[in-house]
Amino acid sequence: MVITLVFSTDARGFALPATVVASVLRRTQARVIVKIYTRGVSAESFRSGRLEVEFRRCDGEVGGIYSQHVSEAVFDRLRIIRDETEWDRVLIMDHDMLALCDLAEYFAEPFGESLLMSRLFDKGNTLGFHLRNRGGLPEDWLQAADHPLFFMGPMMNLVAMRREGIWERLLEAHTAIGQDDRVALAAACGGRVRGVAAKWNLVPKWDGSLMHPDGEQWNPELQWRNGVPEGLVHWTGPLKPWFRNSKAWRADLWDSEACDWEQLRAGRWEKPLAVEVKPDSLFRARALLRRGWRVQVRDFDREEAVSYPDFAFANGEDGTGRSEEMELLRFGPEALPSPFDSLSDSVALEGPRTRGDMAAMRAMGFLGEARIRRDRWAAGGPHPKVLSYGDPGGAFAVAHDEDCYLSRMEQHRKPVSPPDESDPWSGEDDGEAQTLIEVLAEPLADRMAATGAILVFGPGRPLRKLARRFPKANLIGVEHDVGRWRQVKHALRDLANVEVHHASLDPTLPWYDLSGVAVPELDCVIVAGRGGESSRINGNGWMSVLGLLKPGALVLLCDQEKADGTADEVAWTEAGCETLRKDGTVRLLAFSKSNERDRRHPGCGKIRKKDGLADVVYVMTTLGCPESLAGLRTNWERFGCDYVVLPPLSPHPSNIRWEEMRGIDASQRTDALRGDHVVEAIGERMGGIAALERFVASGAETALICRDDCRWKPRAAEMAGAAARQLPEEWDLLYFSAPRGAIHLPFATRLTRMRGARLCTAILWQRTTALDLLPELRACDCEFDIFLERSHTRLNAFCAVPMPAYQATTHRNHIPSHEQPSQS
């Protein structure tokens, strides 16, 4: 069985089909082949396991009339009728779909004599009825008036379509009728559409939210799992599930399936299973879900409306049953495992725990232990495989802010504390370390200043050797294994120029979490010892140090014959590095700032200017707030940046239409409607549009756009510049202030990846991003910051770490109270 899918997209929606494809892969064992027609964006096609993805660039003009929330790119997917001569069928898919069942069943459905298969609208909803208020059908196409209208997108019988010349017929219909892709396809196929079950296109907008408030199913033939319908869910319409705090039906399902093209390229679409037994809340379960886990919650006695295809509740069950797929079994503070043979080989206990609890666990054979502080790990906690387990020598209690991971596997029964007093890397006959020094000594001496900086992933032997060879250099080691980190730090404690940091490396995170590590500009990066493991678990995420490398900096890759090390070398080479030397499993490369990435993306070069952070800087102001402007002038003098203050904009309440305010987050609250929130929100949105329009008209490549209540912290310019230098080649927004409660995924030493955050206090913009978002922003009906928050899932949005700006507390009730506009 082969599942064949086709998408089409422009730059705005390019990232979204990855989540749809991942949802398909997770629920089928069939091979999946995907073709994606793109506009304004391109990517390299790839194969990974049973997934094959081909990107096809398509920039030809297409006429017709399309819904406000889509572009002409939706027509491009129909080109598969002409282009694909090997497939016998294909399923057209939209960005706003999720496969919550196995599509192999759909691909086994017979066409019969039909050209299309799709869910049909009610009887009487024909093509003629659909176009009755749109000018009707042209005279030459009146015979298509009785053709049934179907849900988009259909399964297409490519064999019959090629035989009957449907592509040419489709072009004729689209030219003559001038409507969207579905209308032209329905007319061209002569009404030969076979209706299928509702499960193959479940539309919450039209299906009464799929379930009645009393819990009765609207369709008794529909199967449900964990409170979620098994089928192909389709969020048609302007409300999309990827918007942060979206009002679309079950938008949280999209969060639970989120994936990107790089994860698919690396074959990382399968989700590990976590079982939470009697947790005191669902906070960590939800956090794991957003990080790409499947989660089961057992014996949870609170009634909360949380249901996902892979997020199951099993109240009343024992909860200690072993599962071969289970990778994390965690017990809440009120639960303790029983001595069953079926218990997993490793468990996690939420604190607090008494000494008696821990003694009971040791009696059950859990002799390996690792304790973590929750606030030092990503939300939801670490994967058990990244921890180092040791015998603590006694049954100690667990604090309330700790978690204790336990293992009874032989390989985990190794002492790690206290560290060995001897220095395991003091010998001069260590072959590996000596080879590294021999490779680096001459190139580093030629390229690096005496006080340069070297960053080592997987530290140990190289650090002592390098410290002796370059006593004035700043050496920084990063290790994710707690036990090894303790050993290395203890062994090198006598070296004043060496820092060794612990940073978690988790299979469900994109890279090391280095938010607490201060890394300067680098003369050398060494991926030593654990480089292959890091690559296998986290892809090429550690390449984000490119933004920290000086011109001519060295990159040393070790263990390159392990864990697909060749791919590592190729990735660094494509990023602008030149291979200088190959010595067995070691690769030495040199990095140059004048690489193809900077030439393709001039905005990145603009950011790195020494005379400023961005080409232009604008400050949006609000009416009647003199203390804000006064504070702004004083604060920005310290920041040392020239800026242009834009005049305030505020609509008169009588001129506000309901269409402009219906999506405002507080518009459904009576108190907000009676106050000034709507007027202020629309005024700020108008100010944001004006700032972006001025930015685009200036011809600048980058712009820093701030509010008048933006305040810069001490050393803000230095912090902002360090974050900007680490931006990848494809970036859209860089936030200098964001709520800490938003989703921050570790990306680089000075950057986190944003997944939904409000506040427009200070944002660095790319010119192409402004051009892409301006048309939507002019037509949106919500606040400026909420519009950006909803756009994060399709943008490369980042946040500086630490944040150099914050929002000042000001007297904002400066607009006189007005009677708010009615909904008419």
Side-chain angles (χ1 to χ4, degrees):
M1 171 67 70
V2 178
I3 292 176
T4 50
L5 311 174
V6 63
F7 296 83
S8 57
T9 182
D10 55 17
R12 294 181 305 165
F14 176 75
L16 300 172
T19 293
V20 186
V21 172
S23 73
V24 173
L25 286 164
R26 288 163 180 161
R27 292 168 179 85
T28 186
Q29 295 302 313
R31 183 183 172 202
V32 178
I33 305 178
V34 184
K35 296 192 187 298
I36 303 179
Y37 290 86
T38 64
R39 283 179 176 266
V41 67
S42 185
E44 185 178 351
S45 303
F46 65 91
R47 290 186 179 183
S48 181
R50 53 191 174 89
L51 172 65
E52 180 179 339
V53 178
E54 179 184 347
F55 296 97
R56 293 184 178 182
R57 185 68 178 262
C58 179
D59 292 319
E61 293 185 4
V62 178
I65 302 171
Y66 303 96
S67 301
Q68 183 180 6
H69 60 282
V70 299
S71 68
E72 60 184 8
V74 298
F75 185 85
D76 295 334
R77 54 193 173 177
L78 299 183
R79 300 176 191 273
I80 198 75
I81 303 172
R82 175 198 64 186
D83 297 343
E84 186 49 64
T85 60
E86 301 296 329
W87 293 357
D88 60 350
R89 66 170 64 196
V90 66
L91 178 62
I92 293 179
M93 298 203 75
D94 285 331
H95 303 165
D96 52 0
M97 288 180 163
L98 280 182
L100 305 182
C101 64
D102 191 347
L103 288 188
E105 180 186 346
Y106 196 8
F107 276 76
E109 294 264 1
F111 278 103
E113 298 298 322
S114 301
L115 296 177
L116 303 172
M117 284 193 301
S118 184
R119 182 181 173 188
L120 300 178
F121 283 92
D122 295 336
K123 187 176 181 180
N125 196 342
T126 60
L127 196 56
F129 178 80
H130 181 69
L131 296 178
R132 71 192 188 283
N133 295 324
R134 301 189 183 186
L137 286 164
E139 185 174 350
D140 293 342
W141 289 88
L142 290 176
Q143 72 278 7
D146 294 331
H147 293 175
L149 203 61
F150 50 84
F151 286 35
M152 204 65 182
M155 183 88 71
M156 299 200 300
N157 186 348
L158 293 181
V159 174
M161 286 182 162
R162 290 192 296 264
R163 183 176 61 245
E164 300 183 21
I166 296 299
W167 171 249
E168 291 75 15
R169 184 72 169 164
L170 174 65
L171 293 181
E172 293 175 8
H174 192 260
T175 301
I177 302 174
Q179 297 292 330
D180 59 45
D181 54 335
R182 177 176 56 180
V183 170
L185 186 61
C189 291
R192 293 162 58 185
V193 185
R194 175 178 170 248
V196 296
K199 68 178 291 185
W200 299 121
N201 212 320
L202 296 169
V203 182
K205 178 181 176 181
W206 299 329
D207 290 329
S209 295
L210 296 180
M211 180 178 279
H212 294 297
D214 58 6
E216 295 180 1
Q217 299 175 17
W218 66 272
N219 186 339
E221 297 179 358
L222 194 62
Q223 300 297 316
W224 294 76
R225 181 186 178 197
N226 299 335
V228 178
E230 289 193 342
L232 196 59
V233 176
H234 188 182
W235 285 272
T236 189
L239 290 179
K240 299 304 182 185
W242 50 78
F243 296 151
R244 183 74 173 150
N245 294 329
S246 172
K247 297 178 183 178
W249 177 84
R250 290 306 307 275
D252 48 339
L253 290 176
W254 185 271
D255 252 353
S256 71
E257 295 291 328
C259 193
D260 59 44
W261 289 120
E262 291 309 309
Q263 288 175 294
L264 294 179
R265 193 182 296 271
R268 295 171 54 201
W269 58 78
E270 297 294 348
K271 301 194 290 185
L273 173 63
V275 176
E276 301 276 346
V277 183
K278 293 185 178 180
D280 59 351
S281 74
L282 295 179
F283 172 79
R284 274 186 279 186
R286 288 194 182 103
L288 288 175
L289 191 77
R290 286 184 170 181
R291 281 170 47 193
W293 289 72
R294 289 179 294 143
V295 183
Q296 292 182 5
V297 180
R298 301 183 178 178
D299 294 327
F300 190 72
D301 55 5
R302 300 184 186 182
E303 294 185 4
E304 296 193 29
V306 180
S307 54
Y308 303 90
D310 300 316
F311 190 119
F313 285 88
N315 290 329
E317 294 187 10
D318 168 55
T320 57
R322 180 171 180 170
S323 169
E324 294 300 326
E325 299 179 350
M326 183 168 54
E327 298 193 34
L328 174 61
L329 174 59
R330 180 160 49 201
F331 292 82
E334 301 299 324
L336 194 67
S338 301
F340 296 152
D341 293 335
S342 61
L343 195 64
S344 174
D345 287 328
S346 60
V347 299
L349 304 180
E350 294 183 20
R353 298 285 174 172
T354 66
R355 296 185 62 180
D357 292 341
M358 303 312 298
M361 296 303 299
R362 291 179 62 80
M364 292 166 56
F366 289 94
L367 303 180
E369 177 182 302
R371 299 185 183 219
I372 69 163
R373 286 279 302 275
R374 295 172 197 156
D375 59 354
R376 297 181 182 178
W377 292 82
H383 193 293
K385 291 182 180 179
V386 306
L387 297 174
S388 179
Y389 297 83
D391 188 343
F396 298 104
V398 180
H400 71 282
D401 59 346
E402 282 186 324
D403 282 351
C404 184
Y405 286 72
L406 301 168
S407 175
R408 53 185 178 188
M409 300 176 68
E410 287 294 334
Q411 58 265 38
H412 289 164
R413 299 180 187 177
K414 53 184 180 182
V416 296
S417 180
D420 191 350
E421 289 297 326
S422 63
D423 182 355
W425 298 290
S426 60
E428 297 296 332
D429 57 348
D430 187 284
E432 176 191 1
Q434 195 62 38
T435 300
L436 298 181
I437 299 305
E438 291 174 358
V439 171
L440 282 173
E442 183 178 348
L444 272 179
D446 294 339
R447 287 174 165 81
M448 188 179 78
T451 57
I454 303 174
L455 178 63
V456 183
F457 293 103
R461 299 170 176 86
L463 277 179
R464 179 169 289 280
K465 299 282 185 178
L466 289 170
R468 291 176 175 174
R469 181 67 177 79
F470 302 100
K472 296 183 179 180
N474 179 17
L475 285 91
I476 304 168
V478 176
E479 176 58 56
H480 71 274
D481 185 294
V482 176
R484 183 177 171 85
W485 167 67
R486 289 173 179 167
Q487 281 188 310
V488 175
K489 188 173 183 178
H490 183 83
L492 305 180
R493 65 191 183 280
D494 59 317
L495 299 175
N497 62 331
V498 175
E499 304 173 23
V500 184
H501 298 274
H502 171 254
S504 61
L505 175 62
D506 193 300
T508 62
L509 294 175
W511 196 48
Y512 291 90
D513 184 359
L514 295 181
S515 57
V517 182
V519 181
E521 287 196 327
L522 299 170
D523 296 273
C524 180
V525 173
I526 302 176
V527 184
R530 301 300 180 93
E533 179 181 349
S534 304
S535 303
R536 182 174 62 253
I537 295 177
N538 296 76
N540 292 320
W542 35 265
M543 286 182 59
S544 59
V545 297
L546 281 170
L548 292 171
L549 296 182
K550 297 178 182 177
L554 299 178
V555 178
L556 187 69
L557 308 178
C558 309
D559 288 353
Q560 286 298 286
E561 293 182 359
K562 303 176 184 178
D564 196 20
T566 305
D568 296 346
E569 181 183 357
V570 170
W572 282 97
T573 303
E574 291 177 349
C577 292
E578 176 188 359
T579 301
L580 300 179
R581 177 176 174 180
K582 297 183 180 182
D583 187 353
T585 62
V586 176
R587 303 288 188 270
L588 179 65
L589 305 95
F591 177 74
S592 172
K593 288 284 186 182
S594 58
N595 55 60
E596 182 66 20
R597 178 184 63 155
D598 288 335
R599 292 198 295 271
R600 280 202 316 268
H601 303 278
C604 292
K606 297 284 186 181
I607 292 173
R608 300 190 181 101
K609 294 189 310 178
K610 293 182 178 179
D611 57 341
L613 185 66
D615 294 338
V616 292
V617 181
Y618 300 120
V619 177
M620 302 185 299
T621 58
T622 51
L623 288 172
C625 199
E627 70 275 19
S628 181
L629 288 177
L632 180 146
R633 285 190 292 269
T634 302
N635 183 255
W636 279 59
E637 287 176 1
R638 183 173 61 198
F639 186 64
C641 178
D642 294 332
Y643 58 92
V644 176
V645 178
L646 301 181
L649 297 174
S650 180
H652 192 278
S654 61
N655 295 328
I656 298 177
R657 295 177 291 109
W658 173 246
E659 291 75 12
E660 296 179 282
M661 60 172 283
R662 61 185 173 190
I664 288 178
D665 187 55
S667 64
Q668 303 303 317
R669 299 206 315 259
T670 304
D671 57 337
L673 285 171
R674 290 173 179 169
D676 303 317
H677 178 78
V678 172
V679 177
E680 292 183 28
I682 295 179
E684 184 170 348
R685 187 173 69 208
M686 293 167 59
I689 293 172
L692 291 176
E693 290 175 338
R694 184 160 178 170
F695 164 37
V696 171
S698 71
E701 292 293 337
T702 58
L704 176 60
I705 300 179
C706 307
R707 288 168 43 124
D708 57 357
D709 54 3
C710 171
R711 296 295 180 268
W712 299 102
K713 301 176 183 177
R715 299 177 56 246
E718 177 185 339
M719 291 187 286
R725 284 191 294 272
Q726 291 192 3
L727 284 169
E729 60 181 79
E730 296 286 351
W731 68 277
D732 292 301
L733 301 173
L734 174 57
Y735 280 67
F736 293 132
S737 178
R740 297 191 179 276
I743 303 175
H744 295 260
L745 296 176
F747 184 82
T749 57
R750 299 296 181 89
L751 290 177
T752 58
R753 190 74 176 266
M754 300 301 301
R755 284 288 305 278
R758 300 187 183 182
L759 291 186
C760 295
T761 307
I763 303 177
L764 187 66
W765 286 75
Q766 178 90 279
R767 178 182 178 82
T768 53
T769 309
L771 289 169
D772 288 342
L773 293 186
L774 262 174
E776 298 176 65
L777 183 57
R778 294 188 185 106
C780 82
D781 58 4
C782 62
E783 294 93 334
F784 185 35
D785 57 348
I786 293 180
F787 169 81
L788 293 180
E789 177 188 41
R790 294 173 177 174
S791 302
H792 283 173
T793 53
R794 57 188 172 91
L795 297 177
N796 289 323
F798 300 90
C799 184
V801 177
M803 299 180 200
Y806 63 94
Q807 184 178 14
T809 302
T810 58
H811 183 65
R812 302 290 299 213
N813 55 345
H814 46 267
I815 301 178
S817 296
H818 296 291
E819 182 181 350
Q820 296 300 312
S822 66
Q823 299 185 17
S824 58

